[in-house]
Structure formats: structure tokens, C-alpha cells
Amino acid sequence: MLLSSIALEELALAHIMNAEAEKLQFVLGTLGDTGVTLSPAEVSLGDLLDVNASVQRTLRDVIKKEMLLEFKFENVLDLIATLPPPPVVIARFLYVSNQDDDTVEIYNIINPTDPVRVGEFNGGNLRNPTGLAITGTTLYVANFADDTVEIYDISNPTDPVRVGEFNGDFAVPIALAITGTTLYVAYFAGLAEIFDISNPTDPVRVGEFGVGELSVTASLAITGTTLYAGDLADDAIEIYDISNPTVPLHVGQFGAGDLSRPEGLAITGTTLYVANQDDNTVEIYDISMPITPVRIGQFNGGNLDGPFGLATTDTTLYVVNVGDNTVEIYDISNPTDPEHVGEFGAGDLITPFGLAIFTVLG
């Protein structure tokens, strides 16, 4: 912003200098036909000297301003020199809940189109794990068949350590989403609970929502102050305003007529992807206006069979493909026209469900 302001001021000064030059050309009669007549028609030597003096005064003011801009520019360069270098991605991992194997698989995705399996974990307590969510170095795993949410420390991303579990007032947790220090847990039978995770390893229940709106919830996604919840019973996405994270306000619904079992949600910029399980497609919505999404297309890539969980990183979209027990990879450099570029997980995955991405910066 500082450099932009200097550039704009320099541009303004350039226009002033150009105007002064045209003033001299006009008086001397070398500017060309401007359609303007001098008054008086004859320009005396005294008139020329007066104009020249006026131009000199303006140029002196311009020079003073240029000196101030030089000082300002030098100060900005000094400030830039004191700033720490931007963080660099040194590692990136994808966690995949492996529902029928009671594990979570770990893949190194530093090369996003060529994931490498680096391990799995269970913690001795996972039973049909489904939804995943990460905050800091804490991973939450919805433990579908145990009615709990498991907590793992992923400070060492390839060797997660179980540090606890918690549950709310309802059974069968399936989907998770985080904003700030608030964790939302959606339950398969409808409704969702709200937990304060200011202490990530000791979540505190602070409320619930969805009564009368959510029937069979399988997915959650957040953009800004808007929460989307996929409802399998209504074949639609419910929309909540979470300006107050602990008091979600239902503000609408969309997707009826387009969706058939919306099992997964993922967002990149102003684009929302919805896994349309029974249609074997992923629907694409423009969410520039978050509470009024606009459908702009769908894709399949010729290889989707029961798409479930979704996750994005940079220009890559991962799609859980339950029918093939794989995860499909799409290039979303153009978010509205994904291109299938590969798949992985065959032989490792048994009914994969949820995805979560953990990035290590250095």
C-alpha cells in the first residue's frame, strides 16, 4: 500500500509537469491547433517571461515534493528490510478417515498430484471414523460408531498422539468444521452442537442448532461468517449466519432439485464444491454472495462413483470416491472447470470418508 501511494503521487506529479510544458508550448504557438485564441492575440516578451516564471515556481514545488517522496521511498525500503521473510511451505499432509478399517490414513501431498502414503493411526479407539477437522496442531476425528470426537496432537504429522476425547448430548457424530475457537459437530440424525475450543484439548459445549432445519447432516463448510450444512434428507444445503459463532442463525437453503445426497463440501475462494453422491458428480456453486449461491455447473471426470468428502489446497481438489475406495485428484486452476489429473489410495482405503489437510510452514 505504501509503495502504491508513492507511485500514485509520482503519476500526479508527472501530469502536472506535462501540463506546465503544454502551457509553454501554447504560449509559444508550438502546441498545435487547440481551438483556443490568445487574449491579447500578440504575446509580448514580458508575457513570455511571466509565463516562464510561473512554470519555474510550479517546477520548484514539484522538486520539493519529489524530495519528500524520495525520503518516503527510502523509509519504506528500510521498513521492508526489517520484515521477516514470508512463511514457506515445507511439508503438507492429507488425512483420510478410513471408515471400515477403523483408521486414519496419512499421505504426504507436498506434490499435490502425487500423494505418498506415510502411515496410518488408530489410537486404539477409532470405530468408523468419519469427519475430520484441524486447528493449529490439533486434529479432531468424528468417531461415528463410538459417539465421541477423538483428539490427536499432530505436532509430528506422521505420528499423531491421542490426547483425549469428548462427546455432547447427541449420538453418531459425522461432520466437523472450525472457525476461530469454535468447533461445530454435526450428527447423523440431525442437529449440530457447538464447542468452545479455546483450549483445543478440552472442548466445552456452549450450544446447539439446527432444530427444525437439519434432518440428516453429513457435511459442513465455512466461509467467513457463513456456515453451510449438507442435509441428506432434504437433498439441500442449509445456510447459517455465524457472525456470532455460538448462535448460528438460519438464513436460507439451496440446491433442491440439483442435489441428491450432498455428502461433502469444500470451498476455495468464492467457489463451493458439493459432492453429489447419488448422482456421481460434484456440483459447483458461485458463493460471491454467500447466502445466495448460484449453481454454475458440475463435473464427474468420468471416474466418480459415490463421491463423499472433499478438500482443497491451492489449486488442487481431492474427492473421496467411495465406490472405488480411492481419492480422486482434480486441478482447479480454473475453479469452475476442474480437470481430473489422477487418483490414489487403491489398496489402502476401505470406505474412505473425510479429508483434512495439515500444512507445515517454515
Side-chain angles (χ1 to χ4, degrees):
M1 291 296 291
L2 291 173
L3 290 175
S4 296
S5 71
I6 293 172
L8 290 173
E9 289 182 83
E10 289 286 4
L11 183 61
L13 292 176
H15 284 304
I16 292 172
M17 293 175 67
N18 186 63
E20 292 302 304
E22 289 183 347
K23 182 195 297 184
L24 282 175
Q25 288 178 295
F26 178 73
V27 173
L28 293 171
T30 60
L31 187 58
D33 186 10
T34 63
V36 178
T37 303
L38 283 173
S39 180
E42 297 294 331
V43 179
S44 67
L45 179 59
D47 293 331
L48 288 174
L49 292 174
D50 288 342
V51 171
N52 187 63
S54 172
V55 171
Q56 284 184 331
R57 286 193 298 271
T58 301
L59 290 179
R60 279 198 296 268
D61 290 337
V62 169
I63 291 169
K64 292 175 186 177
K65 183 64 176 176
E66 285 286 3
M67 292 176 66
L68 291 175
L69 287 177
E70 182 180 1
F71 295 147
K72 183 177 179 181
F73 182 63
E74 290 173 353
N75 288 337
V76 171
L77 292 180
D78 290 341
L79 175 62
I80 292 174
T82 66
L83 296 176
V88 177
V89 175
I90 60 175
R92 183 169 283 150
F93 299 91
L94 174 70
Y95 297 99
V96 184
S97 59
N98 206 10
Q99 196 175 13
D100 285 350
D101 195 41
D102 294 336
T103 59
V104 175
E105 300 291 317
I106 310 171
Y107 292 87
N108 183 331
I109 57 168
I110 194 66
N111 180 345
T113 61
D114 187 23
V116 177
R117 183 180 182 274
V118 291
E120 67 176 25
F121 65 95
N122 174 294
N125 62 331
L126 294 180
R127 296 177 58 210
N128 299 130
T130 52
L132 307 173
I134 294 172
T135 181
T137 56
T138 301
L139 167 69
Y140 299 102
V141 182
N143 209 9
F144 187 83
D146 201 36
D147 297 335
T148 60
V149 176
E150 302 298 319
I151 310 172
Y152 287 84
D153 179 345
I154 55 171
S155 299
N156 181 344
T158 62
D159 187 22
V161 177
R162 182 178 182 269
V163 292
E165 69 176 22
F166 66 97
N167 56 12
D169 293 347
F170 305 107
V172 194
I174 190 168
L176 309 175
I178 294 172
T179 180
T181 58
T182 302
L183 168 69
Y184 300 103
V185 181
Y187 295 85
F188 190 69
L191 300 182
E193 289 188 299
I194 310 166
F195 293 85
D196 181 342
I197 54 171
S198 299
N199 180 345
T201 62
D202 187 22
V204 177
R205 186 183 186 278
V206 293
E208 65 183 65
F209 67 97
V211 176
E213 298 124 25
L214 298 177
S215 299
V216 182
T217 311
S219 53
L220 300 172
I222 294 171
T223 180
T225 58
T226 302
L227 168 70
Y228 300 110
D231 194 326
L232 304 188
D234 290 342
D235 287 332
I237 309 297
E238 304 296 333
I239 311 173
Y240 292 88
D241 180 340
I242 54 171
S243 299
N244 181 344
T246 61
V247 188
L249 175 65
H250 186 253
V251 293
Q253 177 192 88
F254 69 96
D258 303 327
L259 302 176
S260 180
R261 293 186 67 84
E263 291 279 3
L265 303 171
I267 295 169
T268 181
T270 58
T271 302
L272 169 69
Y273 300 104
V274 182
N276 207 11
Q277 187 196 10
D278 285 354
D279 197 36
N280 293 328
T281 60
V282 175
E283 301 290 318
I284 309 173
Y285 290 87
D286 180 345
I287 54 171
S288 300
M289 299 292 289
I291 63 173
T292 55
V294 177
R295 182 180 183 271
I296 53 179
Q298 66 174 211
F299 65 94
N300 175 294
N303 59 338
L304 294 181
D305 182 8
F308 260 64
L310 307 174
T312 64
T313 178
D314 296 332
T315 59
T316 303
L317 168 68
Y318 298 103
V319 182
V320 166
N321 205 18
V322 173
D324 279 349
N325 286 322
T326 59
V327 176
E328 303 300 320
I329 311 172
Y330 288 84
D331 181 340
I332 53 171
S333 299
N334 180 348
T336 62
D337 188 21
E339 178 185 353
H340 184 255
V341 292
E343 70 174 26
F344 65 97
D348 304 326
L349 302 176
I350 307 174
T351 317
F353 192 101
L355 303 174
I357 292 172
F358 180 61
T359 300
V360 181
L361 301 175

